[in-house]
Structure formats: structure tokens, C-alpha cells
Amino acid sequence: MLSYLPYNIPILVFVSVRSRKGEEEMDYNYSDELKARLKRIEGQVRGVLRLMDEGKPCKDVVSQLSAVRNASDRAIAQIVAENLQQCILDEQQTGGDTGKLVKQAVELLVKSR
């Protein structure tokens, strides 16, 4: 099943599976768009290293590192949002408490900063 985030970002719906310990885990299917985003970030990091190798000014290096950080933050937010969306749907189907899931997602985002 295909779902959409803001800005028409398509995501795949996750499938729940059981681990060996009986704990529920998610089978994560990351979108090609998310993988492409991470490859762009990888390219940005290589660009920062090139700037450093070329002895470019601190201002240029820090500016590019800031762009990397912003892009990484957006990727983290997308991953958490996709996961949270599916977890909430799964929890609602079983009649569980979704508040705990939201709290965990917020904690994960705060921890990533």
C-alpha cells in the first residue's frame, strides 16, 4: 500500500513481523526517494571534504556542513514520520494507546538533535 506525506512524498506501508523474542518489530521498506536524499547528503559530505583538501576558508566549509546537517535533519524527520504513521495505524487496529508512540517519536527527534 502506498501512502503520502506532506509535499506528496510517497512512502511504502510497513508490515509487522514477530522477532524471535516475540516482540513486535517492523519490516522497514525505505522509499527510493529517501535513499536518493541520503545519496545527495553523501555527495555533500564528499564536497565538504574536497573543500577541506583544497584549503578553502572556514566560512565555506561550515556553510556546507550546515547544509549537510539540515538535509540530515529532514531525512531523520521523514524516517520518523513514516514510521510513526504506520505504528499509529497498527496500534489503532489493535486498540492500543497511540500516545506512547507519539512520545517515543518526539524523544527520538529530540535525541537526534
Side-chain angles (χ1 to χ4, degrees):
M1 182 174 149
L2 195 60
S3 186
Y4 290 89
L5 289 173
Y7 307 109
N8 256 354
I9 299 171
I11 61 170
L12 295 176
V13 174
F14 306 113
V15 179
S16 286
V17 294
R18 295 275 176 193
S19 69
R20 285 185 240 166
K21 296 179 183 177
E23 297 174 357
E24 193 165 311
E25 292 182 354
M26 303 295 287
D27 180 20
Y28 298 96
N29 296 302
Y30 299 105
S31 68
D32 289 339
E33 183 175 340
L34 178 60
K35 292 175 190 176
R37 178 183 293 224
L38 292 176
K39 288 177 183 178
R40 283 191 300 274
I41 293 169
E42 179 183 32
Q44 287 178 302
V45 171
R46 282 194 303 271
V48 170
L49 290 170
R50 187 173 49 253
L51 290 175
M52 295 172 87
D53 287 342
E54 294 171 357
K56 298 294 181 182
C58 167
K59 168 178 92 168
D60 296 343
V61 172
V62 171
S63 175
Q64 289 305 307
L65 280 173
S66 179
V68 168
R69 181 177 55 203
N70 290 336
S72 297
D73 287 345
R74 287 191 303 273
I76 289 168
Q78 182 179 349
I79 291 168
V80 171
E82 289 175 4
N83 180 56
L84 179 60
Q85 179 183 18
Q86 188 56 44
C87 287
I88 287 175
L89 292 174
D90 291 346
E91 199 68 23
Q92 287 174 337
Q93 289 177 353
T94 62
D97 178 24
T98 58
K100 180 180 176 184
L101 295 172
V102 172
K103 182 180 177 191
Q104 289 173 340
V106 169
E107 288 172 357
L108 187 59
L109 287 172
V110 169
K111 183 180 176 182
S112 73
R113 285 301 295 161

